[in-house]
Amino acid sequence: MAPICRLPQSVINKIAAGEVIERPASVVKELVENAIDAGATRIDVALEGGGAELVRVVDNGCGISAEDLPLAIASHATSKIASAEDLFRVRTLGFRGEALASIAEVSRLTIRSRPAGCPAGAAIEVQGGEVSPVKPCGCPVGTTVEVRDLFFNTPVRRKFLRAPQTELGHASEALVRVALAFPGIHCSLRHQDRPVFDLPPSGQYLERIARIFGQALADHLFWVESTDGPVRLWGYVAHPSHSRSNNRMQYLFLNGRCIRDRSLQHALGEAYRGLLMTGRYPIAFLFLEMPPEWVDVNVHPTKLEVRFQDSGRLYSQLLGTLRSKFLSTDLTPRLESSEPAAPWGAESCGQAAGALEDAAGGFQQRLVEWAKGKIAAWGLPTEPLPGAAGGAASGPNAPAGQSSSFNGAVGQVLANRELPTPKNRELDLVELDRCWAPVGRPEDDEVEPGESSWPASSAESSVAAAGPSNPQWTVQGPHSYGAGPEDAASPNGAPPKALQVHNRYLVAETEEGVMVIDQHALHERILYEQLRARVLAGPVECQALLVPEPVDLSPAEAATVLEHRELLARLGLRVEPFGGSTVLLSTYPAMLANISPAELLHEAIHQLMSSSKGLQPRDLLDALLHSIACKAAIKAGDRLSPEEIAALLAQRHLIDDAHHCPHGRPTALVLRREELDRQFGRT
Ligand code: ADP
Ligand code: MG
C-alpha cells in the first residue's frame, strides 16, 4: 500500500462537493439558504439548461464585504457558528461553511456583493477552485451568485445529469421547499429567461401553498396544531380525497428547514390508515418548532436528515394531533366541478407541484356523469316545466330501454303538478319521492340486475327482496330508522328515503344534497370498526362449534397458525394442533356467524403468511380485520331489502369513520345541492 499522505485542499473540496453538490438543485438549495440566512426579503433564481449551464441567485440580503469575499469561498469558513457548542444551537440554515467552497471547486463561480452602506460592490471569481483576486464592481445592495458549467471539471458527475427539464424539476422543488417555509419572502424562478413562477410575499402559508400547488388543493387542507412542552406542531394536511402516488408531497419543516424523517412520515401514514387506498400517500405541510438544542442537525451533509432527542414523543404528537383532527372532521368527499389548474404549468414545476393527481378525480367525474344521466332518466326537468304535460320525461333526454309505464307514470305525475314558480322550481328528491309514491313504480320482478329498485316500498316486495337467496349479513346495533340526518324518517314514520341502484349503491337525500353510498364499502367499514372495537376491548365473543372442525393445512400454514395462536384466539378463532399439519378449530367469532369458520381461518392464514416479517401484531391484526370485514360484508350486486338498507344507514352514524372503507375507498360521496344547481345551470 502507498504511504499515508495529507490530501491537497482541492481534493478535499472535491470530496465535500461530492457529498453536498449532487446536481443543479443542490446549488439552488445552498445559494437560496445563504440568501435567507443573509436576511433577504427577495430572492430571484434564474437557470439555463436546467441549471447545468447557469444558476444565478440574486438576493437583497446583508451582502458580503470585499474583505470577506475570499473567506466566503474558503472551506470551513462561516459567519454562522464560532464554536463547537454553537453546533447544538444552530438557528441558521447553513453552518458548515462548505457550500460555496464545494460549488467553487466544480464550476465557474462569480460572486458580486455589496453590503448596505457600502458605496460600491466587489466581485470574486473562482474557476474549478482557482481563485482570482477580488475586484470592485457596481451592483445593488445584496448578493448575486452565478454558477456556470456545473461539473465542467468532473465529467463523471456531469454524465449523471438528466435532461434539462428533469433538472429544472429538481431545482424548482428545491426552491419550493424554501418558499413554503418562508412565505414572507418574494421568490421567483426563471428558466431560459422565461418565468416559471413568481411568488409575491404573503403573510399566509395557505396562500403560498395555493400559489404553488393550486387553489383546489388549498381548499382541501385542514389546519392542525398542537403543543407538547416547548414543541409546537402546526400546519396543513390534505383531505383524503387529495392524495398522491408517492410521498413527495409530504413537506416537513423543522425550525424553517425542510427535512425528511422516516419516523414522522410513518406517523403521517398511520394517521391516514384506512382513509387512503393502498399505494396512496397523504399530502401534508407540517411545521415543527422546538428549541435548537433539542435536535442535532449535523448528521447529514445536506442537513436533510436530523436527529431528534425524543423522536418517539414527536411520533405520538403527530399521530395524536392528526387522529383527533380526523375524528372531529366530516371527511365525506364532496363532488365538485374541476378546479382550474395550478397557476404555473405542471411541466415547469417539475415533480414538486406537477399536476396534482386527485385519486378520486376520475371516479368523481364518472359519478357526476352518472348522476346527470340518472337524473335525466328520472325525467326531472332542469328548467321550469313546460306547460305541456310530460314533456321532460318523454323528451329527447329520456333514455331508451326504460319501461314506458315508468316514464309515463312520472310524466303524468309531473304533468299534474303546479307549474313551478321561480321560488319552488328546484325539484329535489323529496319532491321526486312525493311524485313517485302514489303511482306505480316498476314491479320488483321487472327490475333487471343493474336497474333501480325502490326499497321504500310495500312490505311484500321487501320480503320478496330479502328472500332466501339474499345474503345473510349480521347487523349490529339499533335497527331503528332515521338514526341520523341523512335518513330522517318521513313525517308518517316511513322508512328512510334511500334508493338502491345497480344493486350496489344507495342514494339518499341529505340536508346538503344527495349522498351516494357504496353499500359494500360502508358495510365493510362498519364491520371493521365493530370488530376492531371488540378486539381492542378484549377477546371477541366466541361461539363454540358443536363439533370442532379439523382443518387440513400445508405444514407451513400449520406452523404459522400455531405460531399466532394467541392472536387468532383474540379474534375468536381457537385452534389446537391435531396431528400432522391438521389443526382443530373449536370456536369462531360470534359476530361473524355467516362465514364458514374454516374459510375465516384460511383468510387469516393468508394474511399472516403474506405479511412481511417483522410486522407489528397491531398491523397484522388490522390487516386481518380488514380482510375479515371485506369477506363478511354485503357485496356489490347484493339486492338489499328496505330493512337492510335502513339498518345499514342507521349504523353509519355509530362509527367514527364511516366515510371510507378499511381499504381507503370512499364509502359515500355527497353531491351537493349547490353543485347540482350549478351543473343544471340554475345558478
Ligand atoms: P455556510 O452557509 O454554511 O456558512 P457557505 O459556504 O454557504 O457556508 O457560505 C459561507 C459564508 O459566506 C456564509 O457563512 C456567509 O457569511 C457568506 N455568504 C454566503 N452567501 C451569502 C449571501 N447570499 N449573503 C450574505 N453572505 C453570504
Ligand atoms: Mg450556506
Side-chain angles (χ1 to χ4, degrees):
M1 235 186 345
I4 300 176
C5 65
R6 283 192 183 278
L7 292 173
Q9 190 58 46
S10 75
V11 178
I12 295 174
N13 288 352
K14 277 215 177 65
I15 293 173
E19 279 189 325
V20 183
I21 307 301
E22 194 194 343
R23 58 189 345 148
S26 330
V27 175
V28 171
K29 171 185 184 286
E30 294 296 339
L31 299 184
V32 170
E33 287 188 353
N34 279 347
I36 295 208
D37 284 344
T41 57
R42 174 164 192 153
I43 304 173
D44 296 300
V45 181
L47 307 176
E48 303 273 331
E53 286 165 30
L54 170 72
V55 176
R56 182 192 300 122
V57 176
V58 183
D59 72 53
N60 62 354
C62 65
I64 310 171
S65 67
E67 310 81 74
D68 276 356
L69 273 179
L71 266 181
I73 47 118
S75 64
H76 305 301
T78 177
S79 56
K80 299 169 193 175
I81 58 168
S83 68
E85 289 88 74
D86 290 349
L87 271 180
F88 300 99
R89 42 174 184 260
V90 174
R91 290 187 185 273
T92 47
L93 295 172
F95 61 86
R96 295 163 63 106
E98 268 186 329
L100 288 181
S102 302
I103 295 169
E105 196 65 44
V106 293
S107 70
R108 302 181 219 276
L109 169 81
T110 311
I111 306 178
R112 281 184 218 99
S113 194
R114 184 177 138 208
C118 280
I124 192 167
E125 270 183 45
V126 197
Q127 300 242 2
E130 295 293 314
V131 187
S132 334
V134 175
K135 286 186 210 144
C137 76
C139 63
V141 170
T143 305
T144 298
V145 183
E146 278 181 5
V147 177
R148 290 183 188 275
D149 303 327
L150 186 65
F151 301 137
F152 79 95
N153 54 352
T154 47
V156 183
R157 264 283 148 98
R158 203 175 169 87
K159 263 196 219 141
F160 279 100
L161 291 182
R162 299 300 185 83
Q165 211 56 34
T166 311
E167 294 301 336
L168 170 65
H170 288 287
S172 94
E173 168 71 8
L175 185 55
V176 157
R177 288 179 181 180
V178 177
L180 284 170
F182 298 92
I185 296 180
H186 188 157
C187 296
S188 77
L189 175 66
R190 296 177 75 82
H191 185 234
Q192 309 288 83
D193 222 16
R194 277 195 293 272
V196 177
F197 59 77
D198 189 6
L199 308 169
S202 162
Q204 301 284 325
Y205 284 87
L206 201 54
E207 198 179 312
R208 181 136 289 188
I209 293 172
R211 285 232 170 226
I212 298 175
F213 298 105
Q215 195 61 44
L217 174 66
D219 287 345
H220 289 86
L221 293 177
F222 301 116
W223 167 256
V224 291
E225 187 179 20
S226 70
T227 328
D228 180 12
V231 178
R232 192 167 164 245
L233 168 72
W234 57 276
Y236 296 92
V237 293
H239 187 283
S241 62
H242 284 65
S243 65
R244 298 219 92 185
S245 56
N246 56 52
N247 62 9
R248 284 192 220 120
M249 285 276 286
Q250 299 178 355
Y251 291 95
L252 180 62
F253 299 91
L254 166 71
N255 296 343
R257 184 193 306 284
C258 186
I259 60 160
R260 291 264 138 188
D261 187 273
R262 280 164 148 258
S263 156
L264 293 177
Q265 269 174 342
H266 189 265
L268 186 62
E270 272 299 283
Y272 277 81
R273 183 193 276 277
L275 297 178
L276 295 179
M277 283 197 234
T278 319
R280 303 298 301 182
Y281 294 82
I283 298 173
F285 304 89
L286 292 169
F287 297 80
L288 270 170
E289 278 161 21
M290 65 177 74
E293 57 273 20
W294 278 41
V295 57
D296 187 355
V297 288
N298 190 26
V299 293
H300 190 266
T302 62
K303 301 161 229 125
L304 189 61
E305 283 164 28
V306 299
R307 197 177 292 135
F308 295 109
Q309 253 180 31
D310 193 347
S311 65
R313 197 158 156 182
L314 279 178
Y315 183 98
S316 310
Q317 187 182 352
L318 176 56
L319 185 57
T321 310
L322 265 58
R323 280 232 169 118
S324 42
K325 181 72 189 184
F326 293 155
L327 286 181
S328 61
T329 308
D330 177 10
L331 294 175
T332 311
R334 302 289 186 275
L335 288 177
E336 273 145 30
S337 45
S338 50
E339 302 272 347
W344 32 291
E347 175 205 41
S348 51
C349 59
Q351 3 102 293
L356 282 168
E357 6 158 341
D358 180 348
F363 175 58
Q364 292 189 355
Q365 195 47 46
R366 286 203 301 283
L367 195 79
V368 174
E369 295 303 322
W370 168 84
K372 280 188 200 163
K374 211 70 200 168
I375 290 166
W378 289 342
L380 255 182
T382 57
E383 287 302 324
L385 281 170
S394 53
N397 278 348
Q402 290 280 4
S403 76
S404 57
S405 70
F406 181 84
N407 278 339
V410 175
Q412 206 183 336
V413 174
L414 290 176
N416 294 339
R417 290 170 53 86
E418 265 178 65
L419 278 186
T421 61
K423 205 169 87 242
N424 69 0
R425 61 187 257 195
E426 290 166 19
L427 277 176
D428 60 14
L429 282 185
V430 191
E431 289 171 282
L432 185 69
D433 186 20
R434 267 191 235 120
C435 294
W436 278 3
V439 292
R441 54 177 186 83
E443 287 306 313
D444 273 347
D445 33 5
E446 272 177 40
V447 178
E448 294 296 317
E451 282 283 277
S452 308
S453 68
W454 186 249
S457 59
S458 69
E460 310 107 283
S461 61
S462 338
V463 171
S469 67
N470 222 41
Q472 299 296 303
W473 46 282
T474 323
V475 174
Q476 312 287 333
H479 288 228
S480 61
Y481 297 137
E486 282 90 349
D487 37 325
S490 62
N492 57 11
K497 286 180 289 290
L499 172 72
Q500 186 185 26
V501 293
H502 295 286
N503 287 341
R504 64 180 65 200
Y505 298 114
L506 307 178
V507 182
E509 180 197 359
T510 73
E511 269 179 19
E512 264 185 293
V514 180
M515 181 175 281
V516 184
I517 296 164
D518 178 328
Q519 63 185 40
H520 169 74
L522 176 61
H523 192 218
E524 183 181 347
R525 184 82 215 183
I526 291 171
L527 286 180
Y528 167 77
E529 293 289 344
Q530 288 173 340
L531 276 166
R532 193 171 66 161
R534 293 199 187 186
V535 169
L536 293 181
V540 300
E541 202 183 315
C542 292
Q543 187 78 49
L545 284 161
L546 277 181
V547 182
E549 189 177 342
V551 184
D552 292 327
L553 302 172
S554 74
E557 287 173 336
T560 309
V561 164
L562 296 176
E563 189 189 329
H564 293 96
R565 258 165 86 179
E566 237 174 79
L567 188 66
L568 293 169
R570 283 178 63 193
L571 289 167
L573 290 166
R574 287 190 196 286
V575 284
E576 309 289 335
F578 194 59
S581 55
T582 304
V583 295
L584 201 60
L585 187 59
S586 55
T587 66
Y588 63 91
M591 71 183 112
L592 295 175
N594 51 323
I595 337 180
S596 113
E599 196 184 330
L600 212 54
L601 182 66
H602 277 292
E603 184 58 38
I605 294 170
H606 173 72
Q607 282 297 331
L608 288 167
M609 295 186 77
S610 57
S611 54
S612 55
K613 278 235 165 356
L615 206 64
Q616 297 292 312
R618 197 184 48 175
D619 295 329
L620 203 57
L621 200 68
D622 229 36
L624 268 175
L625 295 182
H626 284 172
S627 64
I628 291 173
C630 184
K631 263 206 142 39
I634 51 166
K635 304 282 176 291
D638 287 347
R639 178 79 161 279
L640 302 184
S641 72
E643 288 74 21
E644 288 169 326
I645 290 174
L648 196 54
L649 291 181
Q651 290 181 93
R652 193 165 181 269
H653 312 285
L654 299 179
I655 52 184
D656 288 335
D657 179 14
H659 313 110
H660 294 83
C661 82
H663 298 115
R665 287 192 297 272
T667 59
L669 297 171
V670 168
L671 190 57
R672 280 189 302 194
R673 217 186 70 178
E674 304 91 78
E675 183 59 21
L676 285 172
D677 289 347
R678 231 184 53 70
Q679 295 277 349
F680 287 109
R682 287 177 172 277
T683 50

